[in-house]
Amino acid sequence: MGSAQSVPPEMRALAERTGFTSEQIEQLHRRFKQLNHNRKTIRKEDFDTIPDLEFNPIRARIVHAFFDKRNLRKAPAGLAEEINFEDFLTIMSYFRPIEMDMDEERLESFRKEKLKFLFHMYDADYDGIITLQEYKNVLDELMSGNPHLEKESLRAIAEGAMLEAASACMARTGPDEVYEGITFEDFLKVWKGIDIETKMHVRFLTMEAIAHCY
Amino acid sequence: MRQVSRMGFLLGLLNLPAALGERSSGSPTNNSHPQSFAIVSFEWNHVKDPYVITLWILVASLAKIVFHLSHKVTRVVPESALLIVLGVLLGGIVWAADHIASFTLTPEVFFFYLLPPIVLDAGYFMPNRLFFGNLGSILLYAVIGTVWNAATTGLSLYGVYRTGIMGHLDSGLLDFLLFGSLIAAVDPVAVLAVFEEVHVNEVLFIIVFGESLLNDAVTVVLYNVFESFVSIGPENVTGIECVKGIVSFFVVSLGGTLVGIFFAFLLSLVTRFTKHVRIIEPGFVFIISYLSYLTAEMLSLSAILAITFCGICCQKYVKANISEQSSTTVRYTMKMLASGAETIIFMFLGISAVDPEIWTWNTAFILLTLVFISVYRVIGVVIQTWILNHYRMVQLEIIDQVVMSYGGLRGAVAFALVALLDTKKVKEKNLFVSTTIIVVFFTVIFQGLTIKPLVQWLKVKKSEHREPKLNEKLHGRAFDHILSAIEDISGQIGHNYLRDKWSNFDRKFLSKLLMRRSAQKSRDQILNVFHELNLKDAISYVAEGERRGSLAFIRSPSTDNMVNVDFSTPRPSTVESSVSYLLREKAGPVCLDMQALEQRRKSIRDTEDTIAHHTLQQYLYKPRQEHKHLYSRHEIMHSEDEKQDKEIFHRTMRKRLESFKSTKLGINHSKKLNKIHKRERGQKRRNSNVIPNGKIPSENPVQDYTLKEKDSEFSEAEENNDYETLHLGKGVDFLANVTKQNFTDNPTGDLDQDVEMTEYSSSDDKFPPYTSDQLNQNESVSENPLHFFPSCLQMPWTQNYSSLENRGNISLSTVSEYIASCDPSVPDLFWETDADTDNKETINSGYCSEVSYKSENSQEENSLLIPEELEDPYMKEPREKKMLLDVQGNYRSIAARRVQSRRSFHKPKPLQHPKLQKLASLPASCHVPPHSLEQEETQL
């Protein structure tokens, strides 16, 4: 492709920052331009043009995550109007697979990053706590594909999950103590023992992007 | 019968009968002339074939029992090895008896009867996601690995043969290659038998096991190709033949898979419509999958692949379609058949070895075969893993490779294939047979014996038995969506993309076509985990309750905050004595192997209803059917003697009522505010799951009714709740004789209720105001005598009896319809049944059937009992008195109280409720066993 010889410096910087190879970046860039019709930035509406995304029950949430300033590492709260390619790459880099030569420490931070992304997806109001209501909302979206499900059982499941988290994170709740939500620390605890790094990844193959028609 | 006798013939079990026949030749049957009618005759020849087969199976099964008597032995030595040794011993005995080795494992029996159940079991309980996630690796190992093994082993042996070490053998290159192809394949039976005991991590397991299953196609093709090459002679083998061989590989493997998928489709479709023939439902699973096997065999396609894929593809739909009971039946039958077949295979492998005629010893050949298969296996694994690791996310490390190489066990498939060889074409058949036996014995016994220490020594990541976590499942689900979305956005086609597309397709078309409508609701995995957690809670509650002697702890303060379950309730080891603890313990180690784990998880999925409490309800109930001693071939719970049943039921009821009349028992009133209800709804639901256990004791004679009852009961719970909200404060909760007991566990109680309590006691000394109101009101509303039902019956229907009256007719008729339908497991009915009253929900243990009884009553004879009861002057009084007493007592949550009241049936307080005790103890034998059985059920 020739990209290897003539890597522009900004590309190299990007590669360094996000961990992607320049080939992958190039490919993602193509996709980026495809999505935003050759503009500089990408907006929420652009994601609507992806046909496969239509059936995703938590589509709004995922798209939202792309514009979340916490994920973009720009601000502790708020939503960006539009993101440029660099931001796009930043988000994508959350889904990089682990590399073989990672040491324990880097693996740990890598894992934390991924979890943080996930956490932010749940925590819609930027307060650092996943409340029952927030949990329920996600669940609601998740299960929206199942038309037979009743609200009541959804609620019960959310409560059950919440309580499970509570019991995992707090030794024992006092009689009048209310577990108000899952903090990030608790979230980490909930995820303990699950190799998120092997699960939360997308293989950014160096192959041609699929649909050129969009 | 013919089949059986044929099987007997094939097994060649003619020897034992002969021996016995000689002994019995002196008996009158054999040489008696039909001069007179013989009262008793000895017809050995008539039964001998099935008889001998059955005896062998019995011996094998007994041997298994004996092995497991000593944990020390089975922990060290794999069962398969023990069975082989036992087989050798038994073979030796038979040989010593008459010097003819007539019991051998014949290929026909093996391929037609013993192998299919094992493979079907493997396919049906295959962890699909894991399997398809690693499909690439599995296929590589299965196809390339097997070809590699076959080629290298055959060629190397031939090469060594040419050097002359082995002496003269009457075979050419093709014979060696043929031998290589049959000895190359890793055997699913042996692998399963050994790996199930080793508990390596699931990825490793699925790779080795998947390889052993899928390499069948390769083995069959290689075997067929080389066999035909051998028979047409090496000089006729041309390039075209080789190409044909390669083409035939694809045809055989893909064809077998397609046959399997086709039959899986058929099976799923059939089970969709078996609603009314529940009894034969499980049979379809076996018959159709066996048909897939035979069809593939008929078309000379890979039969193992066919039945494997039949199992893999149908499992989701079948499990959703068939009823809970059928699912359990399928599960058990499948496991039983598979494990029985495995036992027999290994035992007969041992027995087959004792036959001097097949033994041709050639030290060099045998030793070199052993060396080559081990060495080439290692080399093959290392090379392939090296390639794979470039693409795999979860790397296969050195340790994994060691286990994979070492786990390449050969088994009965190789033996059966070698036994199939034709001596005329393959001159050295006997040498091949004896080598195969040695190889099989070596791998199964030696490697099987050492793999466990090896795994421990290498510290291979073991499969951990983790509790399924709701959070984990939820996040996992979110994950899938996120990942597929990211792939969509970044424009990649990856695993997630494909999986997403597949699940969309599945949801839109396949499930609609292949699943019952009712089942479509309940197949959500998250729900399933939720169910499972609920089950666990229920069990732990009961365990805790057993430990503490009461279930009052359920209302621990922490749960009051927001949620309905107390996950954090400690489960100390002191609960050991309780039944449920034992059950849990028992189930623990069993679940360590992945299949059982999967199966256990899946079993939860088998449920037909959506809501957690439905499932729970069903689970907790199931075994009661076993206590019903009615015989019906077609319908388990359908009572053919309904009349008799009814009579028994009436009699019981009358007796009960009479005894209640004479007691001074009352009931508890507690005014239920809507608010409390709302808050406690969840808890009710949860707890109500626990309660039904208690129904069992006194209800045995009328099980038929209660069975139905239980099904309708919970479907109504929600609606009832809604209904309750309409009748703000009017619903009166009549609760059982709980309050006299001391609740030391939890003195805090519920705040709201405390308030109420004080209200009661202050407002009126004798009658809380609302009660009289209520009574009056109700009397004015209707003359229905039902609400004067004895309080001591714990007033199942008295709660909200106003509602009962309002809708009385409708609900009664629905109940009776429901009964008439006689099919309590039909989920659709759950929803159809009218929300007839809360009584069912708050109903007390053991008395649920009263509603149905009532309906019967009102329909047919309009009650012998109720008028009787009306006249009873006691009826109102004691209730109100009792109420006062109760007010003094500690208030609990409804659930706790109900549970409590249930418990009071188990352990009646003699002083307080003498009659109750008497009643509860009527069918005394049923008290504990059903309970424990139920819990066992939940564990599966």
Side-chain angles (χ1 to χ4, degrees):
Chain A
M1 239 174 245
S3 59
Q5 299 98 323
S6 58
V7 185
E10 67 265 29
M11 180 87 91
R12 207 178 299 141
L14 270 181
E16 221 157 83
R17 244 167 46 82
T18 58
F20 284 115
T21 66
S22 52
E23 214 177 0
Q24 284 169 330
I25 292 176
E26 214 163 79
Q27 198 206 324
L28 283 171
H29 191 61
R30 265 203 302 278
R31 180 67 180 168
F32 182 74
K33 284 203 285 203
Q34 228 176 60
L35 289 176
N36 68 0
H37 310 289
N38 292 323
R39 275 182 284 112
K40 270 256 177 271
T41 56
I42 206 164
R43 305 179 135 267
K44 264 194 171 173
E45 301 84 69
D46 293 323
F47 285 102
D48 296 338
T49 59
I50 303 172
D52 296 318
L53 215 51
E54 213 173 296
F55 305 108
N56 205 317
I58 51 170
R59 172 171 151 267
R61 212 165 268 275
I62 293 164
V63 173
H64 192 277
F66 270 81
F67 298 90
D68 195 321
K69 281 187 175 154
R70 290 171 297 179
N71 293 337
L72 298 171
R73 304 188 186 109
K74 283 183 174 160
L79 212 57
E81 272 296 300
E82 48 186 19
I83 54 169
N84 58 23
F85 180 60
E86 201 185 324
D87 299 331
F88 185 72
L89 269 190
T90 311
I91 300 293
M92 282 299 174
S93 70
Y94 283 106
F95 294 92
R96 259 183 326 120
I98 39 165
E99 278 140 46
M100 264 155 251
D101 51 357
M102 272 186 175
D103 53 16
E104 276 301 306
E105 203 176 312
R106 275 192 60 204
L107 208 64
E108 191 49 43
S109 67
F110 195 62
R111 179 185 154 85
K112 239 179 193 166
E113 291 270 283
K114 282 176 185 288
L115 283 175
K116 202 134 209 164
F117 182 84
L118 206 61
F119 183 78
H120 292 157
M121 203 169 250
Y122 285 91
D123 179 25
D125 60 359
Y126 311 104
D127 62 354
I129 284 174
I130 303 173
T131 58
L132 180 62
Q133 190 53 44
E134 281 168 340
Y135 210 138
K136 221 186 106 195
N137 291 343
V138 177
L139 197 61
D140 219 358
E141 288 169 31
L142 268 180
M143 308 282 253
S144 60
N146 192 340
H148 309 286
L149 212 58
E150 279 125 65
K151 283 269 174 286
E152 191 55 34
S153 53
L154 268 184
R155 201 183 62 98
I157 290 175
E159 286 177 354
M162 203 66 179
L163 195 60
E164 191 187 84
S167 68
C169 306
M170 298 172 81
R172 181 91 189 151
T173 35
D176 39 57
E177 218 174 311
V178 178
Y179 187 69
E180 74 275 6
I182 304 170
T183 63
F184 185 62
E185 281 69 41
D186 295 347
F187 197 66
L188 283 180
K189 275 183 210 155
V190 170
W191 277 96
K192 209 170 178 184
I194 307 165
D195 327 332
I196 185 158
E197 58 273 15
T198 59
K199 278 186 183 162
M200 185 171 165
H201 71 89
V202 172
R203 213 180 282 262
F204 294 98
L205 292 177
T206 49
M207 54 183 269
E208 286 298 304
I210 21 163
H212 279 293
C213 35
Y214 299 103
Chain B
M1 182 64 203
R2 199 192 301 159
Q3 204 180 36
V4 172
S5 59
R6 182 170 160 236
M7 189 170 164
F9 176 72
L10 290 169
L11 273 171
L13 303 174
L14 303 167
N15 183 43
L16 184 57
L20 285 176
E22 275 168 47
R23 223 165 293 151
S24 62
S25 59
S27 69
T29 5
N30 278 10
N31 34 14
S32 69
H33 307 285
Q35 288 158 342
S36 62
F37 175 74
I39 298 170
V40 181
S41 56
F42 186 75
E43 304 277 4
W44 166 251
N45 284 326
H46 183 57
V47 296
K48 75 178 177 196
D49 287 345
Y51 201 91
V52 169
I53 295 168
T54 318
L55 271 185
W56 275 117
I57 294 173
L58 178 69
V59 168
S61 314
L62 285 178
K64 246 182 148 152
I65 299 179
V66 173
F67 296 153
H68 283 279
L69 285 180
S70 162
H71 280 294
K72 274 182 199 151
V73 174
T74 43
R75 210 181 298 146
V76 178
V77 189
E79 212 178 79
S80 43
L82 285 173
L83 281 167
I84 286 183
V85 173
L86 174 80
V88 172
L89 289 179
L90 286 177
I93 292 170
V94 173
W95 174 256
D98 56 9
H99 298 280
I100 304 170
S102 39
F103 305 93
T104 51
L105 187 67
T106 64
E108 287 84 0
V109 174
F110 175 75
F111 281 119
F112 278 135
Y113 305 107
L114 296 177
L115 189 57
I118 296 175
V119 182
L120 175 63
D121 175 70
Y124 192 73
F125 297 112
M126 179 71 78
N128 273 353
R129 193 166 173 160
L130 204 59
F131 178 75
F132 286 110
N134 292 296
L135 190 61
S137 316
I138 291 171
L139 279 177
L140 184 78
Y141 286 119
V143 179
I144 309 293
T146 309
V147 172
W148 159 266
N149 280 349
T152 50
T153 309
L155 288 174
S156 306
L157 281 174
Y158 182 67
V160 174
Y161 165 66
R162 292 300 292 267
T163 64
I165 295 175
M166 293 173 196
H168 176 71
L169 294 175
D170 193 6
S171 30
L173 173 64
L174 286 175
D175 298 74
F176 280 101
L177 283 175
L178 176 59
F179 177 70
S181 71
L182 65 87
I183 206 77
V186 176
D187 181 68
V189 184
V191 165
L192 209 62
V194 169
F195 271 65
E196 269 194 343
E197 295 176 28
V198 178
H199 310 305
V200 293
N201 66 69
E202 33 188 49
V203 174
L204 196 52
F205 176 82
I206 201 76
I207 287 177
V208 178
F209 177 56
E211 178 201 340
S212 69
L213 271 182
L214 298 194
N215 67 17
D216 172 67
V218 185
T219 316
V220 167
V221 171
L222 283 180
Y223 179 83
N224 286 341
V225 166
F226 286 121
E227 208 204 3
S228 62
F229 283 2
V230 168
S231 50
I232 62 173
E235 60 282 354
N236 296 328
V237 178
T238 59
I240 297 168
E241 299 293 325
C242 295
V243 172
K244 270 193 203 162
I246 293 166
V247 171
S248 114
F249 163 71
F250 287 103
V251 172
V252 166
S253 53
L254 294 179
T257 310
L258 284 180
V259 167
I261 291 173
F262 170 74
F263 277 95
F265 185 81
L266 191 72
L267 174 55
S268 310
L269 205 60
V270 167
T271 50
R272 195 186 162 175
F273 301 105
T274 50
K275 196 160 147 184
H276 301 295
V277 284
R278 290 286 192 206
I279 285 301
I280 58 167
E281 202 171 52
F284 285 116
V285 177
F286 296 98
I287 288 167
I288 294 182
S289 12
Y290 191 47
L291 214 53
S292 77
Y293 186 88
L294 294 179
T295 309
E297 194 72 46
M298 180 177 76
L299 301 171
S300 71
L301 303 171
S302 168
I304 293 188
L305 276 187
I307 198 166
T308 305
F309 275 94
C310 184
I312 287 177
C313 298
C314 77
Q315 54 168 265
K316 177 179 173 187
Y317 308 106
V318 168
K319 282 172 186 172
N321 279 338
I322 60 179
S323 74
E324 195 50 51
Q325 294 95 319
S326 306
S327 165
T328 310
T329 312
V330 168
R331 217 160 53 229
Y332 270 95
T333 316
M334 216 174 259
K335 287 283 170 206
M336 190 194 78
L337 288 178
S339 139
E342 193 187 283
T343 310
I344 293 168
I345 286 172
F346 282 116
M347 200 176 78
F348 272 89
L349 265 182
I351 293 175
S352 309
V354 188
D355 181 4
E357 277 172 32
I358 60 166
W359 282 105
T360 313
W361 192 264
N362 185 327
T363 317
F365 186 79
I366 290 171
L367 276 183
L368 282 173
T369 307
L370 276 178
V371 170
F372 285 146
I373 61 161
S374 312
V375 169
Y376 287 125
R377 167 99 187 153
V378 174
I379 295 173
V381 165
V382 169
I383 293 174
Q384 291 169 76
T385 312
W386 181 76
I387 297 170
L388 275 177
N389 272 347
H390 285 287
Y391 299 100
R392 280 186 66 88
M393 199 53 235
V394 185
Q395 301 284 312
L396 293 167
E397 283 156 30
I398 304 281
I399 291 175
D400 297 331
Q401 294 175 33
V402 172
V403 175
M404 278 167 63
S405 319
Y406 206 70
L409 306 176
R410 270 62 166 183
V413 173
F415 178 76
L417 284 177
V418 83
L420 266 182
L421 290 177
D422 188 353
T423 327
K424 281 178 206 137
K425 293 177 197 156
V426 185
K427 303 287 189 311
E428 295 292 345
K429 181 190 171 183
N430 280 345
L431 176 62
F432 290 168
V433 170
S434 29
T435 311
T436 307
I437 290 178
I438 295 288
V439 167
V440 169
F441 282 16
F442 175 80
T443 54
V444 170
I445 296 177
F446 180 74
Q447 295 189 359
L449 208 64
T450 47
I451 196 165
K452 221 172 189 175
L454 185 79
V455 163
Q456 273 158 7
W457 181 64
L458 290 173
K459 298 196 180 62
V460 177
K461 215 160 113 197
K462 297 260 190 117
S463 71
E464 49 208 272
H465 173 221
R466 226 186 14 230
E467 313 257 305
K469 285 232 177 85
L470 204 49
N471 275 310
E472 200 181 315
K473 259 299 184 271
L474 287 172
H475 295 322
R477 177 64 70 91
F479 246 35
D480 288 351
H481 289 304
I482 294 169
L483 292 183
S484 69
I486 295 294
E487 278 187 357
D488 288 339
I489 290 169
S490 66
Q492 313 272 347
I493 303 180
H495 276 172
N496 299 304
Y497 176 85
L498 293 175
R499 186 167 57 221
D500 196 49
K501 288 289 151 300
W502 168 254
S503 66
N504 272 340
F505 172 73
D506 178 64
R507 195 174 58 235
K508 277 196 197 133
F509 303 107
L510 276 184
S511 293
K512 288 221 172 92
L513 183 63
L514 298 178
M515 270 194 206
R516 282 182 200 165
R517 216 161 294 128
S518 57
Q520 286 172 26
K521 305 176 199 170
S522 60
R523 73 211 148 85
D524 212 298
Q525 277 225 343
I526 293 177
L527 274 179
N528 290 326
V529 177
F530 185 54
H531 294 172
E532 178 142 337
L533 287 170
N534 274 350
L535 279 176
K536 278 215 183 94
D537 290 341
I539 291 166
S540 71
Y541 279 157
V542 176
E544 187 70 6
E546 275 166 1
R547 192 179 66 82
R548 298 198 192 178
S550 92
L551 278 172
F553 72 95
I554 285 173
R555 228 177 134 59
S556 74
S558 62
T559 55
D560 275 1
N561 291 334
M562 46 168 189
V563 238
N564 34 24
V565 210
D566 188 4
F567 279 90
S568 54
T569 304
R571 299 167 190 173
S573 53
T574 33
V575 289
E576 266 165 58
S577 54
S578 73
V579 183
S580 48
Y581 183 82
L582 285 175
L583 286 168
R584 226 184 314 141
E585 276 299 279
K586 235 194 288 171
V590 176
C591 294
L592 274 175
D593 75 77
M594 202 178 53
Q595 269 200 300
L597 189 68
E598 184 64 16
Q599 172 196 346
R600 184 155 155 274
R601 206 164 58 77
K602 292 278 165 59
S603 82
I604 311 295
R605 177 190 300 177
D606 297 337
T607 169
E608 297 247 359
D609 8 29
T610 325
I611 319 277
H613 53 253
H614 282 212
T615 326
L616 203 35
Q617 182 69 357
Q618 279 217 317
Y619 269 100
L620 290 173
Y621 263 99
K622 196 78 14 68
R624 277 178 68 211
Q625 282 141 18
E626 288 160 21
H627 296 273
K628 194 158 140 49
H629 299 297
L630 286 171
Y631 175 77
S632 160
R633 182 177 311 215
H634 309 292
E635 206 72 55
I636 290 180
M637 34 239 147
H638 183 104
S639 139
E640 306 225 297
D641 303 316
E642 219 160 314
K643 260 189 193 167
Q644 186 195 323
D645 236 20
K646 216 177 285 171
E647 201 196 314
I648 295 169
F649 180 67
H650 286 182
R651 220 182 294 141
T652 324
M653 285 306 292
R654 198 167 307 149
K655 219 195 239 165
R656 202 171 288 159
L657 284 172
E658 273 158 18
S659 67
F660 277 125
K661 257 189 280 176
S662 55
T663 69
K664 300 282 177 190
L665 286 179
I667 41 143
N668 305 333
H669 282 210
S670 97
K671 191 171 179 179
K672 281 289 137 202
L673 291 173
N674 184 34
K675 196 179 88 195
I676 302 171
H677 264 297
K678 266 202 150 170
R679 236 178 30 141
E680 287 181 347
R681 247 150 102 167
Q683 189 160 16
K684 247 191 228 168
R685 197 181 317 124
R686 287 273 182 133
N687 292 321
S688 57
N689 298 329
V690 185
I691 298 150
N693 289 335
K695 281 190 201 169
I696 303 121
S698 47
E699 286 301 313
N700 238 18
V702 286
Q703 241 160 25
D704 207 27
Y705 297 91
T706 31
L707 269 174
K708 274 141 212 162
E709 191 55 40
K710 111 215 167 187
D711 284 317
S712 52
E713 182 178 351
F714 273 77
S715 54
E716 280 141 35
E718 303 237 323
E719 289 158 275
N720 290 337
N721 278 319
D722 295 340
Y723 195 75
E724 252 172 276
T725 59
L726 292 176
H727 289 250
L728 267 181
K730 282 190 183 171
V732 178
D733 228 332
F734 290 85
L735 292 158
N737 28 41
V738 201
T739 42
K740 279 186 187 172
Q741 301 176 8
N742 271 331
F743 296 94
T744 45
D745 307 71
N746 181 11
T748 52
D750 187 30
L751 259 179
D752 289 329
Q753 289 189 344
D754 283 343
V755 173
E756 271 177 60
M757 195 174 78
T758 48
E759 213 179 290
Y760 296 162
S761 35
S762 61
S763 58
D764 200 320
D765 323 271
K766 201 146 194 281
F767 304 117
Y770 73 93
T771 329
S772 37
D773 287 348
Q774 181 99 32
L775 286 170
N776 294 336
Q777 189 200 352
N778 284 322
E779 270 162 353
S780 66
V781 169
S782 144
E783 305 296 312
N784 196 332
L786 287 176
H787 49 124
F788 294 110
F789 238 77
S791 52
C792 14
L793 283 179
Q794 273 122 59
M795 289 296 108
W797 53 84
T798 327
Q799 186 196 23
N800 268 9
Y801 39 92
S802 48
S803 72
L804 182 73
E805 285 152 14
N806 294 343
R807 352 167 91 212
N809 293 328
I810 314 158
S811 54
L812 290 182
S813 61
T814 32
V815 170
S816 48
E817 260 173 44
Y818 194 61
I819 285 159
S821 81
C822 276
D823 193 356
S825 55
V826 179
D828 303 15
L829 282 173
F830 288 9
W831 308 99
E832 283 161 22
T833 36
D834 192 39
D836 78 317
T837 73
D838 290 311
N839 46 21
K840 294 188 178 170
E841 201 225 339
T842 31
I843 217 149
N844 205 299
S845 29
Y847 290 96
C848 312
S849 58
E850 279 151 6
V851 177
S852 47
Y853 166 70
K854 192 173 63 195
S855 67
E856 292 290 334
N857 244 354
S858 58
Q859 267 199 333
E860 286 161 41
E861 50 204 293
N862 224 341
S863 169
L864 297 158
L865 315 171
I866 291 169
E868 213 178 293
E869 185 200 328
L870 241 186
E871 290 153 33
D872 189 351
Y874 276 124
M875 277 352 277
K876 267 188 268 176
E877 272 284 306
R879 183 169 57 185
E880 282 147 9
K881 274 181 188 162
K882 179 70 193 297
M883 199 169 55
L884 261 185
L885 283 171
D886 295 340
V887 167
Q888 309 299 325
N890 276 327
Y891 274 81
R892 307 268 124 226
S893 75
I894 312 171
R897 259 179 284 181
R898 268 183 290 141
V899 171
Q900 200 59 43
S901 61
R902 167 176 87 80
R903 294 203 59 83
S904 68
F905 274 88
H906 281 295
K907 297 173 189 168
K909 302 270 185 241
L911 286 177
Q912 291 163 9
H913 318 298
K915 292 294 173 184
L916 218 57
Q917 180 192 22
K918 193 173 138 198
L919 272 173
S921 57
L922 273 177
S925 57
C926 317
H927 271 217
V928 178
H931 185 176
S932 53
L933 264 171
E934 280 156 14
Q935 290 197 343
E936 193 164 39
E937 191 68 27
T938 63
Q939 286 291 332
L940 288 167

